[in-house]
Amino acid sequence: MNWDVIIIGAGAAGLMCAATAGERGRRVLLLDHANKVGKKILMSGGGRCNFTNLDIQPENYLSDNPHFCKSALSRYTQWDFIDLVTRHQIPWHEKELGQLFCDRKSSDILNLLLAECDAAEVTIEAQTTVKDIQQISSGFELSCEDVQQTTQLLRCESLVIATGGLSIPTMGASGFGYDWAEKFGLTVTRRTASLVPFTLSGKWLDVASDLSGVSLACSVTTPRKSFSGQLLFTHRGLSGPAILQASNYWELGESVTIDLLPDESLHDLIERWQSLHSKQTLKNLLAQLLPKRFVQIWLEQIDENKPVLHYNHKEIKELHDLFHQWHITPSGTEGYRTAEVTRGGVNTDDISSKTFEAKQVKGLYFIGEVLDVTGWLGGYNFQWAWSSGWCAGQFV
Ligand code: FDA
C-alpha cells in the first residue's frame, strides 16, 4: 500500500503532525504499536493535561544545541495551540506559573487531535509493529505486523518518527526512534530519565521515609540552576515540582542544596522571636510556619527543645544553615518507571530546525520528545510536541 506520509508513533507530536499534513492534502497513515493512541496525553497533568504554558521561551528547554528549538516554537506558538483549544470549545484554566490545564479531562485534548485527524482524513492504525524499514528510490518501505500477526508492506514518500522517549515503558515507550536514528547514521546524545523524583540512601532516606507525604515550599539549587516550588518527601526520597524541575539540571554524583524556608531568614526570625516570644520553644514557633511533623523530625538533628531565648549566636547560625542549606547528594532517581521525560535524544545537529528532516536522509523526519529537546515541567514538553509536529507537518 502506498502513502504520501507514514508517521510512526501516535502520541502528541505524531497526532499533530498527521492532522497538519492531512490538512495539506497529503495521504497520511499514523501507526502505533500500543493498543490505544495518545496514552501519555490521557495520563498527563494528573488527568487534566497541562497542555501548554503562557510563557514559552527557548530558555525553558534543554538541548546540546539550545538554539534548535527557537524556530519551531516561534512558528507554532502556545497562542496557536490555545486558539485550537478554544475553537474546539474546550474549557481550560491557568493553574500557576502560566501552566494551562483542562477544566475537565485530558481526553478533551486527545479528542481534539483525533477530530483534527479525522477532518484531515488521516488513517490511524494502533497495535501495529514496524519490523523493518528500507530506504527505496521513491522513499521508504516498511514491513509491519498487525495484531493478527499479518505482515504487510507499506510504502511512503516521507517517513516521520514520533515514538517519544523512554519514560513509562508500560505506556508504550520504546527505544525505537533512537535505534532507527542510529541505523540511518544519525547520532543520538546520552539519555537519562528526567523530570523525575530523587532517591536517597542512608540517614536521609530514613528521614525522608519518616516524613513521607509531607510537602512544603522550598528552593532547590543544582550546580546549574535553582527552582522554587513544592517539595514532597517520599518513601524513596524527594519528589514534588521543585525536585522534578531540578532533576532536569542534575547529574548523578552531584550534590544539591535545598532551602526549606525560602521566603524567610531563620536568623532574623529567631532574633525577632527572642524579643517577642522569648519563653516559647523554637519548635512551637517554627510549627506556625512549617508542617508540624517536619519541624519535629528536623529539629531532632540538633536534639534540642529549649525556649527560643536560650539560643546563642553560634546556635542561631547552625539553625539557620540547618533549614536554609540542606546539602544532599541523591543516590539516583526513580528512573524511567516514573520519569515524565527523557533528557537527550536524536542529535539536533543532524536535523533541520525548519523542516525536521534528517540532513543526510531525504524524506526521514524526527519530531517530539525523541529529539534532544527537553522542556521544563509546566506544559513545555507538550508545546514542543505541538510545535515540532506542526512544523514538520508543513513539509512532509
Ligand atoms: P509520546 O510519548 O506522546 O508518543 C509516542 C508514541 O509512540 C506513543 O503513542 C507510543 O505508543 C508510540 N511508540 C513508541 N514506540 C513505538 C514503536 N516501536 N512502534 C510504534 N509506536 C511506538 N508534558 C506536558 O507538557 N504537560 C504535562 O502535563 C505532562 N504530564 C506528563 C505526565 C506523565 C506521567 C508523563 C509520563 C509525561 C508527561 N508529560 C507532560 C510529558 C509529555 O507526555 C511528553 O513529553 C509528550 O507526550 C511527548 O510527545 P511525543 O509525541 O514525542 O511522544
Side-chain angles (χ1 to χ4, degrees):
M1 178 102 186
N2 287 342
W3 297 88
D4 293 333
V5 184
I6 294 181
I7 301 171
I8 308 174
L15 284 158
M16 180 54 121
C17 183
T20 310
E23 208 175 294
R24 284 175 44 233
R26 302 289 278 165
R27 283 177 313 113
V28 182
L29 173 65
L30 179 56
L31 299 177
D32 205 293
H33 67 166
N35 59 346
K36 282 189 198 136
V37 303
K39 281 190 181 184
K40 275 196 194 159
I41 298 174
L42 292 178
M43 75 186 302
S44 67
R48 294 230 166 122
C49 186
N50 177 192
F51 56 82
T52 192
N53 195 292
L54 292 176
D55 186 23
I56 300 275
Q57 303 292 339
E59 293 72 36
N60 303 123
Y61 294 86
L62 294 94
S63 171
D64 278 0
N65 176 0
H67 303 291
F68 180 83
C69 64
K70 289 182 180 171
S71 167
L73 291 174
S74 67
R75 280 179 290 147
Y76 190 86
T77 69
Q78 67 273 39
W79 309 113
D80 293 312
F81 196 75
I82 293 167
D83 195 44
L84 182 63
V85 168
T86 308
R87 268 189 278 132
H88 281 257
Q89 299 179 333
I90 295 173
W92 53 269
H93 62 277
E94 180 188 350
K95 199 168 162 198
E96 53 176 359
L97 307 168
Q99 301 168 359
L100 304 191
F101 285 78
C102 296
D103 285 357
R104 296 185 304 227
K105 286 188 189 161
S106 302
S107 53
D108 278 353
I109 299 295
L110 180 57
N111 290 339
L112 172 162
L113 293 162
L114 291 173
E116 290 286 313
C117 283
D118 196 40
E121 296 181 22
V122 171
T123 302
I124 301 179
E125 279 181 20
Q127 290 182 290
T128 302
T129 310
V130 179
K131 293 285 189 190
D132 193 29
I133 304 173
Q134 295 290 335
Q135 200 174 8
I136 53 174
S137 59
S138 58
F140 299 88
E141 186 174 75
L142 278 64
S143 163
C144 300
E145 205 172 83
D146 65 16
V147 70
Q148 278 96 33
Q149 298 194 323
T150 312
T151 301
Q152 42 172 341
L153 281 182
L154 304 169
R155 287 182 169 190
C156 60
E157 242 173 74
S158 299
L159 177 63
V160 184
I161 298 193
T163 45
L166 295 167
S167 61
I168 326 268
T170 49
M171 287 283 130
S174 79
F176 180 96
Y178 311 123
D179 297 344
W180 278 100
E182 284 177 338
K183 283 182 196 163
F184 277 107
L186 284 76
T187 51
V188 180
T189 67
R190 191 170 68 88
R191 280 137 290 154
T192 46
S194 215
L195 297 182
V196 63
F198 286 147
T199 51
L200 297 173
S201 57
K203 167 190 163 189
W204 294 125
L205 175 61
D206 295 340
V207 171
S209 184
D210 286 349
L211 286 168
S212 176
V214 171
S215 161
L216 43 81
C218 76
S219 83
V220 189
T221 303
T222 74
R224 280 162 291 283
K225 201 106 192 146
S226 285
F227 286 97
S228 297
Q230 289 297 116
L231 171 150
L232 174 71
F233 290 95
T234 74
H235 283 296
R236 284 182 285 273
L238 303 175
S239 186
I243 295 293
L244 300 190
Q245 296 281 33
S247 72
N248 255 353
Y249 292 89
W250 178 81
E251 298 291 343
L252 189 66
E254 289 179 346
S255 65
V256 296
T257 304
I258 302 180
D259 184 342
L260 297 155
L261 205 54
D263 301 324
E264 312 266 2
S265 155
L266 188 56
H267 181 276
D268 295 354
L269 273 175
I270 293 178
E271 284 195 344
R272 203 167 345 129
W273 287 336
Q274 286 186 324
S275 58
L276 293 173
H277 314 279
S278 55
K279 289 195 186 123
Q280 287 206 44
T281 61
L282 183 68
K283 194 163 59 176
N284 284 346
L285 289 161
L286 275 170
Q288 292 167 15
L289 295 173
L290 290 160
K292 221 173 177 171
R293 203 159 116 227
F294 168 74
V295 173
Q296 175 151 10
I297 289 178
W298 212 248
L299 286 181
E300 278 172 9
Q301 294 181 65
I302 54 162
D303 204 19
E304 284 191 51
N305 190 22
K306 54 191 181 187
V308 73
L309 189 65
H310 295 178
Y311 288 89
N312 63 31
H313 280 301
K314 185 168 165 274
E315 287 169 328
I316 293 175
K317 162 91 176 70
E318 274 167 21
L319 274 165
H320 183 93
D321 290 350
L322 188 68
F323 282 80
H324 291 291
Q325 304 258 3
W326 181 30
H327 297 294
I328 46 162
T329 304
S331 55
T333 71
E334 287 191 9
Y336 291 114
R337 195 178 53 82
T338 58
E340 280 204 10
V341 289
T342 300
R343 191 175 64 192
V346 175
N347 193 332
T348 56
D349 287 347
D350 295 339
I351 306 288
S352 156
S353 61
K354 185 176 173 205
T355 63
F356 288 84
E357 190 174 17
K359 288 177 184 167
Q360 308 299 335
V361 189
K362 191 177 170 329
L364 180 66
Y365 298 76
F366 288 84
I367 54 171
E369 197 185 312
V370 73
L371 288 166
D372 171 29
V373 176
T374 307
W376 288 12
L377 187 79
Y380 298 97
N381 285 296
F382 276 138
Q383 186 59 44
W384 175 244
W386 317 138
S387 297
S388 59
W390 185 89
C391 289
Q394 304 295 323
F395 295 95
V396 291

mmCIF file with all atom_site columns, all heavy atoms in Angstrom, residues 353-375:
data_model
loop_
_atom_site.group_PDB
_atom_site.id
_atom_site.type_symbol
_atom_site.label_atom_id
_atom_site.label_alt_id
_atom_site.label_comp_id
_atom_site.label_asym_id
_atom_site.label_entity_id
_atom_site.label_seq_id
_atom_site.pdbx_PDB_ins_code
_atom_site.Cartn_x
_atom_site.Cartn_y
_atom_site.Cartn_z
_atom_site.occupancy
_atom_site.B_iso_or_equiv
_atom_site.pdbx_formal_charge
_atom_site.auth_seq_id
_atom_site.auth_comp_id
_atom_site.auth_asym_id
_atom_site.auth_atom_id
_atom_site.pdbx_PDB_model_num
ATOM 1   N N   . SER A 1 353 ? 16.154 22.424 11.567 1.00 0.00 ? 353 SER A N   1
ATOM 2   C CA  . SER A 1 353 ? 15.241 23.040 12.550 1.00 0.00 ? 353 SER A CA  1
ATOM 3   C C   . SER A 1 353 ? 14.027 23.644 11.843 1.00 0.00 ? 353 SER A C   1
ATOM 4   O O   . SER A 1 353 ? 13.054 24.020 12.477 1.00 0.00 ? 353 SER A O   1
ATOM 5   C CB  . SER A 1 353 ? 15.968 24.114 13.361 1.00 0.00 ? 353 SER A CB  1
ATOM 6   O OG  . SER A 1 353 ? 16.427 25.136 12.500 1.00 0.00 ? 353 SER A OG  1
ATOM 7   N N   . LYS A 1 354 ? 14.079 23.721 10.509 1.00 0.00 ? 354 LYS A N   1
ATOM 8   C CA  . LYS A 1 354 ? 12.941 24.271 9.766  1.00 0.00 ? 354 LYS A CA  1
ATOM 9   C C   . LYS A 1 354 ? 11.938 23.166 9.406  1.00 0.00 ? 354 LYS A C   1
ATOM 10  O O   . LYS A 1 354 ? 10.749 23.280 9.663  1.00 0.00 ? 354 LYS A O   1
ATOM 11  C CB  . LYS A 1 354 ? 13.456 24.946 8.498  1.00 0.00 ? 354 LYS A CB  1
ATOM 12  C CG  . LYS A 1 354 ? 12.387 25.640 7.711  1.00 0.00 ? 354 LYS A CG  1
ATOM 13  C CD  . LYS A 1 354 ? 12.965 26.364 6.521  1.00 0.00 ? 354 LYS A CD  1
ATOM 14  C CE  . LYS A 1 354 ? 11.819 26.914 5.665  1.00 0.00 ? 354 LYS A CE  1
ATOM 15  N NZ  . LYS A 1 354 ? 12.222 27.080 4.281  1.00 0.00 ? 354 LYS A NZ  1
ATOM 16  N N   . THR A 1 355 ? 12.467 22.071 8.840  1.00 0.00 ? 355 THR A N   1
ATOM 17  C CA  . THR A 1 355 ? 11.572 21.026 8.314  1.00 0.00 ? 355 THR A CA  1
ATOM 18  C C   . THR A 1 355 ? 11.501 19.784 9.206  1.00 0.00 ? 355 THR A C   1
ATOM 19  O O   . THR A 1 355 ? 10.605 18.977 9.064  1.00 0.00 ? 355 THR A O   1
ATOM 20  C CB  . THR A 1 355 ? 12.076 20.555 6.939  1.00 0.00 ? 355 THR A CB  1
ATOM 21  O OG1 . THR A 1 355 ? 13.378 19.962 7.128  1.00 0.00 ? 355 THR A OG1 1
ATOM 22  C CG2 . THR A 1 355 ? 12.189 21.705 5.957  1.00 0.00 ? 355 THR A CG2 1
ATOM 23  N N   . PHE A 1 356 ? 12.491 19.595 10.066 1.00 0.00 ? 356 PHE A N   1
ATOM 24  C CA  . PHE A 1 356 ? 12.646 18.402 10.908 1.00 0.00 ? 356 PHE A CA  1
ATOM 25  C C   . PHE A 1 356 ? 13.081 17.164 10.110 1.00 0.00 ? 356 PHE A C   1
ATOM 26  O O   . PHE A 1 356 ? 13.027 16.044 10.603 1.00 0.00 ? 356 PHE A O   1
ATOM 27  C CB  . PHE A 1 356 ? 11.387 18.135 11.762 1.00 0.00 ? 356 PHE A CB  1
ATOM 28  C CG  . PHE A 1 356 ? 11.264 19.150 12.855 1.00 0.00 ? 356 PHE A CG  1
ATOM 29  C CD1 . PHE A 1 356 ? 10.670 20.388 12.619 1.00 0.00 ? 356 PHE A CD1 1
ATOM 30  C CD2 . PHE A 1 356 ? 11.820 18.921 14.093 1.00 0.00 ? 356 PHE A CD2 1
ATOM 31  C CE1 . PHE A 1 356 ? 10.621 21.354 13.598 1.00 0.00 ? 356 PHE A CE1 1
ATOM 32  C CE2 . PHE A 1 356 ? 11.767 19.880 15.084 1.00 0.00 ? 356 PHE A CE2 1
ATOM 33  C CZ  . PHE A 1 356 ? 11.167 21.101 14.836 1.00 0.00 ? 356 PHE A CZ  1
ATOM 34  N N   . GLU A 1 357 ? 13.532 17.390 8.896  1.00 0.00 ? 357 GLU A N   1
ATOM 35  C CA  . GLU A 1 357 ? 14.063 16.302 8.081  1.00 0.00 ? 357 GLU A CA  1
ATOM 36  C C   . GLU A 1 357 ? 15.517 16.037 8.491  1.00 0.00 ? 357 GLU A C   1
ATOM 37  O O   . GLU A 1 357 ? 16.254 16.972 8.827  1.00 0.00 ? 357 GLU A O   1
ATOM 38  C CB  . GLU A 1 357 ? 14.011 16.709 6.600  1.00 0.00 ? 357 GLU A CB  1
ATOM 39  C CG  . GLU A 1 357 ? 14.306 15.583 5.637  1.00 0.00 ? 357 GLU A CG  1
ATOM 40  C CD  . GLU A 1 357 ? 14.095 16.025 4.176  1.00 0.00 ? 357 GLU A CD  1
ATOM 41  O OE1 . GLU A 1 357 ? 14.034 17.248 3.912  1.00 0.00 ? 357 GLU A OE1 1
ATOM 42  O OE2 . GLU A 1 357 ? 14.014 15.139 3.317  1.00 0.00 ? 357 GLU A OE2 1
ATOM 43  N N   . ALA A 1 358 ? 15.902 14.746 8.448  1.00 0.00 ? 358 ALA A N   1
ATOM 44  C CA  . ALA A 1 358 ? 17.306 14.407 8.733  1.00 0.00 ? 358 ALA A CA  1
ATOM 45  C C   . ALA A 1 358 ? 18.171 14.992 7.608  1.00 0.00 ? 358 ALA A C   1
ATOM 46  O O   . ALA A 1 358 ? 17.815 14.857 6.434  1.00 0.00 ? 358 ALA A O   1
ATOM 47  C CB  . ALA A 1 358 ? 17.456 12.895 8.805  1.00 0.00 ? 358 ALA A CB  1
ATOM 48  N N   . LYS A 1 359 ? 19.259 15.648 7.986  1.00 0.00 ? 359 LYS A N   1
ATOM 49  C CA  . LYS A 1 359 ? 20.069 16.336 6.975  1.00 0.00 ? 359 LYS A CA  1
ATOM 50  C C   . LYS A 1 359 ? 20.653 15.363 5.952  1.00 0.00 ? 359 LYS A C   1
ATOM 51  O O   . LYS A 1 359 ? 20.806 15.706 4.793  1.00 0.00 ? 359 LYS A O   1
ATOM 52  C CB  . LYS A 1 359 ? 21.187 17.138 7.655  1.00 0.00 ? 359 LYS A CB  1
ATOM 53  C CG  . LYS A 1 359 ? 20.658 18.374 8.369  1.00 0.00 ? 359 LYS A CG  1
ATOM 54  C CD  . LYS A 1 359 ? 21.766 19.115 9.093  1.00 0.00 ? 359 LYS A CD  1
ATOM 55  C CE  . LYS A 1 359 ? 21.215 20.298 9.874  1.00 0.00 ? 359 LYS A CE  1
ATOM 56  N NZ  . LYS A 1 359 ? 22.172 20.852 10.819 1.00 0.00 ? 359 LYS A NZ  1
ATOM 57  N N   . GLN A 1 360 ? 20.967 14.138 6.402  1.00 0.00 ? 360 GLN A N   1
ATOM 58  C CA  . GLN A 1 360 ? 21.618 13.178 5.499  1.00 0.00 ? 360 GLN A CA  1
ATOM 59  C C   . GLN A 1 360 ? 20.661 12.157 4.883  1.00 0.00 ? 360 GLN A C   1
ATOM 60  O O   . GLN A 1 360 ? 21.086 11.348 4.066  1.00 0.00 ? 360 GLN A O   1
ATOM 61  C CB  . GLN A 1 360 ? 22.724 12.392 6.249  1.00 0.00 ? 360 GLN A CB  1
ATOM 62  C CG  . GLN A 1 360 ? 23.740 13.247 6.987  1.00 0.00 ? 360 GLN A CG  1
ATOM 63  C CD  . GLN A 1 360 ? 24.508 14.159 6.040  1.00 0.00 ? 360 GLN A CD  1
ATOM 64  O OE1 . GLN A 1 360 ? 24.634 13.871 4.847  1.00 0.00 ? 360 GLN A OE1 1
ATOM 65  N NE2 . GLN A 1 360 ? 25.009 15.285 6.540  1.00 0.00 ? 360 GLN A NE2 1
ATOM 66  N N   . VAL A 1 361 ? 19.390 12.139 5.334  1.00 0.00 ? 361 VAL A N   1
ATOM 67  C CA  . VAL A 1 361 ? 18.470 11.104 4.819  1.00 0.00 ? 361 VAL A CA  1
ATOM 68  C C   . VAL A 1 361 ? 17.198 11.783 4.316  1.00 0.00 ? 361 VAL A C   1
ATOM 69  O O   . VAL A 1 361 ? 16.321 12.162 5.093  1.00 0.00 ? 361 VAL A O   1
ATOM 70  C CB  . VAL A 1 361 ? 18.104 10.058 5.916  1.00 0.00 ? 361 VAL A CB  1
ATOM 71  C CG1 . VAL A 1 361 ? 17.340 8.892  5.301  1.00 0.00 ? 361 VAL A CG1 1
ATOM 72  C CG2 . VAL A 1 361 ? 19.330 9.570  6.652  1.00 0.00 ? 361 VAL A CG2 1
ATOM 73  N N   . LYS A 1 362 ? 17.123 11.922 3.010  1.00 0.00 ? 362 LYS A N   1
ATOM 74  C CA  . LYS A 1 362 ? 15.973 12.622 2.424  1.00 0.00 ? 362 LYS A CA  1
ATOM 75  C C   . LYS A 1 362 ? 14.671 11.892 2.787  1.00 0.00 ? 362 LYS A C   1
ATOM 76  O O   . LYS A 1 362 ? 14.587 10.673 2.683  1.00 0.00 ? 362 LYS A O   1
ATOM 77  C CB  . LYS A 1 362 ? 16.161 12.665 0.908  1.00 0.00 ? 362 LYS A CB  1
ATOM 78  C CG  . LYS A 1 362 ? 15.191 13.581 0.187  1.00 0.00 ? 362 LYS A CG  1
ATOM 79  C CD  . LYS A 1 362 ? 15.507 13.619 -1.290 1.00 0.00 ? 362 LYS A CD  1
ATOM 80  C CE  . LYS A 1 362 ? 14.462 14.310 -2.118 1.00 0.00 ? 362 LYS A CE  1
ATOM 81  N NZ  . LYS A 1 362 ? 13.108 14.266 -1.724 1.00 0.00 ? 362 LYS A NZ  1
ATOM 82  N N   . GLY A 1 363 ? 13.678 12.653 3.205  1.00 0.00 ? 363 GLY A N   1
ATOM 83  C CA  . GLY A 1 363 ? 12.354 12.072 3.468  1.00 0.00 ? 363 GLY A CA  1
ATOM 84  C C   . GLY A 1 363 ? 12.165 11.494 4.858  1.00 0.00 ? 363 GLY A C   1
ATOM 85  O O   . GLY A 1 363 ? 11.069 11.067 5.191  1.00 0.00 ? 363 GLY A O   1
ATOM 86  N N   . LEU A 1 364 ? 13.230 11.489 5.676  1.00 0.00 ? 364 LEU A N   1
ATOM 87  C CA  . LEU A 1 364 ? 13.112 10.940 7.040  1.00 0.00 ? 364 LEU A CA  1
ATOM 88  C C   . LEU A 1 364 ? 13.051 12.096 8.050  1.00 0.00 ? 364 LEU A C   1
ATOM 89  O O   . LEU A 1 364 ? 13.932 12.966 8.057  1.00 0.00 ? 364 LEU A O   1
ATOM 90  C CB  . LEU A 1 364 ? 14.316 10.041 7.344  1.00 0.00 ? 364 LEU A CB  1
ATOM 91  C CG  . LEU A 1 364 ? 14.347 9.399  8.732  1.00 0.00 ? 364 LEU A CG  1
ATOM 92  C CD1 . LEU A 1 364 ? 13.200 8.393  8.903  1.00 0.00 ? 364 LEU A CD1 1
ATOM 93  C CD2 . LEU A 1 364 ? 15.689 8.693  8.984  1.00 0.00 ? 364 LEU A CD2 1
ATOM 94  N N   . TYR A 1 365 ? 12.027 12.083 8.898  1.00 0.00 ? 365 TYR A N   1
ATOM 95  C CA  . TYR A 1 365 ? 11.792 13.194 9.829  1.00 0.00 ? 365 TYR A CA  1
ATOM 96  C C   . TYR A 1 365 ? 11.718 12.668 11.270 1.00 0.00 ? 365 TYR A C   1
ATOM 97  O O   . TYR A 1 365 ? 11.243 11.560 11.497 1.00 0.00 ? 365 TYR A O   1
ATOM 98  C CB  . TYR A 1 365 ? 10.456 13.886 9.511  1.00 0.00 ? 365 TYR A CB  1
ATOM 99  C CG  . TYR A 1 365 ? 10.403 14.517 8.137  1.00 0.00 ? 365 TYR A CG  1
ATOM 100 C CD1 . TYR A 1 365 ? 10.237 13.724 6.995  1.00 0.00 ? 365 TYR A CD1 1
ATOM 101 C CD2 . TYR A 1 365 ? 10.512 15.889 7.977  1.00 0.00 ? 365 TYR A CD2 1
ATOM 102 C CE1 . TYR A 1 365 ? 10.183 14.296 5.729  1.00 0.00 ? 365 TYR A CE1 1
ATOM 103 C CE2 . TYR A 1 365 ? 10.465 16.474 6.717  1.00 0.00 ? 365 TYR A CE2 1
ATOM 104 C CZ  . TYR A 1 365 ? 10.302 15.666 5.600  1.00 0.00 ? 365 TYR A CZ  1
ATOM 105 O OH  . TYR A 1 365 ? 10.262 16.227 4.358  1.00 0.00 ? 365 TYR A OH  1
ATOM 106 N N   . PHE A 1 366 ? 12.165 13.498 12.216 1.00 0.00 ? 366 PHE A N   1
ATOM 107 C CA  . PHE A 1 366 ? 12.035 13.174 13.649 1.00 0.00 ? 366 PHE A CA  1
ATOM 108 C C   . PHE A 1 366 ? 11.381 14.358 14.352 1.00 0.00 ? 366 PHE A C   1
ATOM 109 O O   . PHE A 1 366 ? 11.795 15.505 14.129 1.00 0.00 ? 366 PHE A O   1
ATOM 110 C CB  . PHE A 1 366 ? 13.420 12.926 14.273 1.00 0.00 ? 366 PHE A CB  1
ATOM 111 C CG  . PHE A 1 366 ? 14.052 11.644 13.842 1.00 0.00 ? 366 PHE A CG  1
ATOM 112 C CD1 . PHE A 1 366 ? 14.760 11.575 12.645 1.00 0.00 ? 366 PHE A CD1 1
ATOM 113 C CD2 . PHE A 1 366 ? 13.941 10.498 14.612 1.00 0.00 ? 366 PHE A CD2 1
ATOM 114 C CE1 . PHE A 1 366 ? 15.341 10.377 12.236 1.00 0.00 ? 366 PHE A CE1 1
ATOM 115 C CE2 . PHE A 1 366 ? 14.521 9.296  14.208 1.00 0.00 ? 366 PHE A CE2 1
ATOM 116 C CZ  . PHE A 1 366 ? 15.223 9.237  13.018 1.00 0.00 ? 366 PHE A CZ  1
ATOM 117 N N   . ILE A 1 367 ? 10.375 14.081 15.190 1.00 0.00 ? 367 ILE A N   1
ATOM 118 C CA  . ILE A 1 367 ? 9.682  15.164 15.911 1.00 0.00 ? 367 ILE A CA  1
ATOM 119 C C   . ILE A 1 367 ? 9.401  14.756 17.356 1.00 0.00 ? 367 ILE A C   1
ATOM 120 O O   . ILE A 1 367 ? 9.391  13.571 17.685 1.00 0.00 ? 367 ILE A O   1
ATOM 121 C CB  . ILE A 1 367 ? 8.327  15.525 15.231 1.00 0.00 ? 367 ILE A CB  1
ATOM 122 C CG1 . ILE A 1 367 ? 7.452  14.274 15.061 1.00 0.00 ? 367 ILE A CG1 1
ATOM 123 C CG2 . ILE A 1 367 ? 8.563  16.224 13.900 1.00 0.00 ? 367 ILE A CG2 1
ATOM 124 C CD1 . ILE A 1 367 ? 6.028  14.573 14.605 1.00 0.00 ? 367 ILE A CD1 1
ATOM 125 N N   . GLY A 1 368 ? 9.142  15.752 18.208 1.00 0.00 ? 368 GLY A N   1
ATOM 126 C CA  . GLY A 1 368 ? 8.715  15.498 19.583 1.00 0.00 ? 368 GLY A CA  1
ATOM 127 C C   . GLY A 1 368 ? 9.865  15.124 20.503 1.00 0.00 ? 368 GLY A C   1
ATOM 128 O O   . GLY A 1 368 ? 11.023 15.499 20.299 1.00 0.00 ? 368 GLY A O   1
ATOM 129 N N   . GLU A 1 369 ? 9.520  14.314 21.490 1.00 0.00 ? 369 GLU A N   1
ATOM 130 C CA  . GLU A 1 369 ? 10.468 14.019 22.571 1.00 0.00 ? 369 GLU A CA  1
ATOM 131 C C   . GLU A 1 369 ? 11.636 13.135 22.143 1.00 0.00 ? 369 GLU A C   1
ATOM 132 O O   . GLU A 1 369 ? 12.658 13.087 22.828 1.00 0.00 ? 369 GLU A O   1
ATOM 133 C CB  . GLU A 1 369 ? 9.681  13.357 23.713 1.00 0.00 ? 369 GLU A CB  1
ATOM 134 C CG  . GLU A 1 369 ? 10.419 13.372 25.029 1.00 0.00 ? 369 GLU A CG  1
ATOM 135 C CD  . GLU A 1 369 ? 9.666  12.610 26.103 1.00 0.00 ? 369 GLU A CD  1
ATOM 136 O OE1 . GLU A 1 369 ? 8.452  12.826 26.264 1.00 0.00 ? 369 GLU A OE1 1
ATOM 137 O OE2 . GLU A 1 369 ? 10.319 11.795 26.783 1.00 0.00 ? 369 GLU A OE2 1
ATOM 138 N N   . VAL A 1 370 ? 11.499 12.422 21.030 1.00 0.00 ? 370 VAL A N   1
ATOM 139 C CA  . VAL A 1 370 ? 12.604 11.558 20.564 1.00 0.00 ? 370 VAL A CA  1
ATOM 140 C C   . VAL A 1 370 ? 13.850 12.398 20.240 1.00 0.00 ? 370 VAL A C   1
ATOM 141 O O   . VAL A 1 370 ? 14.975 11.897 20.274 1.00 0.00 ? 370 VAL A O   1
ATOM 142 C CB  . VAL A 1 370 ? 12.146 10.712 19.351 1.00 0.00 ? 370 VAL A CB  1
ATOM 143 C CG1 . VAL A 1 370 ? 12.024 11.553 18.076 1.00 0.00 ? 370 VAL A CG1 1
ATOM 144 C CG2 . VAL A 1 370 ? 13.083 9.538  19.105 1.00 0.00 ? 370 VAL A CG2 1
ATOM 145 N N   . LEU A 1 371 ? 13.627 13.690 19.987 1.00 0.00 ? 371 LEU A N   1
ATOM 146 C CA  . LEU A 1 371 ? 14.754 14.584 19.709 1.00 0.00 ? 371 LEU A CA  1
ATOM 147 C C   . LEU A 1 371 ? 15.420 15.016 21.017 1.00 0.00 ? 371 LEU A C   1
ATOM 148 O O   . LEU A 1 371 ? 14.799 14.982 22.088 1.00 0.00 ? 371 LEU A O   1
ATOM 149 C CB  . LEU A 1 371 ? 14.245 15.835 18.979 1.00 0.00 ? 371 LEU A CB  1
ATOM 150 C CG  . LEU A 1 371 ? 13.803 15.640 17.534 1.00 0.00 ? 371 LEU A CG  1
ATOM 151 C CD1 . LEU A 1 371 ? 13.009 16.858 17.064 1.00 0.00 ? 371 LEU A CD1 1
ATOM 152 C CD2 . LEU A 1 371 ? 15.012 15.416 16.627 1.00 0.00 ? 371 LEU A CD2 1
ATOM 153 N N   . ASP A 1 372 ? 16.645 15.498 20.900 1.00 0.00 ? 372 ASP A N   1
ATOM 154 C CA  . ASP A 1 372 ? 17.352 16.026 22.066 1.00 0.00 ? 372 ASP A CA  1
ATOM 155 C C   . ASP A 1 372 ? 16.849 17.442 22.388 1.00 0.00 ? 372 ASP A C   1
ATOM 156 O O   . ASP A 1 372 ? 17.569 18.427 22.234 1.00 0.00 ? 372 ASP A O   1
ATOM 157 C CB  . ASP A 1 372 ? 18.868 16.025 21.775 1.00 0.00 ? 372 ASP A CB  1
ATOM 158 C CG  . ASP A 1 372 ? 19.649 16.771 22.859 1.00 0.00 ? 372 ASP A CG  1
ATOM 159 O OD1 . ASP A 1 372 ? 19.180 16.782 24.015 1.00 0.00 ? 372 ASP A OD1 1
ATOM 160 O OD2 . ASP A 1 372 ? 20.706 17.362 22.541 1.00 0.00 ? 372 ASP A OD2 1
ATOM 161 N N   . VAL A 1 373 ? 15.584 17.511 22.787 1.00 0.00 ? 373 VAL A N   1
ATOM 162 C CA  . VAL A 1 373 ? 14.980 18.772 23.242 1.00 0.00 ? 373 VAL A CA  1
ATOM 163 C C   . VAL A 1 373 ? 14.088 18.394 24.422 1.00 0.00 ? 373 VAL A C   1
ATOM 164 O O   . VAL A 1 373 ? 13.163 17.598 24.261 1.00 0.00 ? 373 VAL A O   1
ATOM 165 C CB  . VAL A 1 373 ? 14.125 19.451 22.146 1.00 0.00 ? 373 VAL A CB  1
ATOM 166 C CG1 . VAL A 1 373 ? 13.436 20.693 22.700 1.00 0.00 ? 373 VAL A CG1 1
ATOM 167 C CG2 . VAL A 1 373 ? 14.972 19.805 20.931 1.00 0.00 ? 373 VAL A CG2 1
ATOM 168 N N   . THR A 1 374 ? 14.398 18.927 25.596 1.00 0.00 ? 374 THR A N   1
ATOM 169 C CA  . THR A 1 374 ? 13.648 18.560 26.803 1.00 0.00 ? 374 THR A CA  1
ATOM 170 C C   . THR A 1 374 ? 13.154 19.818 27.492 1.00 0.00 ? 374 THR A C   1
ATOM 171 O O   . THR A 1 374 ? 13.948 20.718 27.778 1.00 0.00 ? 374 THR A O   1
ATOM 172 C CB  . THR A 1 374 ? 14.560 17.783 27.779 1.00 0.00 ? 374 THR A CB  1
ATOM 173 O OG1 . THR A 1 374 ? 15.148 16.693 27.065 1.00 0.00 ? 374 THR A OG1 1
ATOM 174 C CG2 . THR A 1 374 ? 13.782 17.270 28.970 1.00 0.00 ? 374 THR A CG2 1
ATOM 175 N N   . GLY A 1 375 ? 11.864 19.871 27.745 1.00 0.00 ? 375 GLY A N   1
ATOM 176 C CA  . GLY A 1 375 ? 11.297 21.067 28.368 1.00 0.00 ? 375 GLY A CA  1
ATOM 177 C C   . GLY A 1 375 ? 11.226 20.971 29.882 1.00 0.00 ? 375 GLY A C   1
ATOM 178 O O   . GLY A 1 375 ? 11.375 19.898 30.462 1.00 0.00 ? 375 GLY A O   1
#
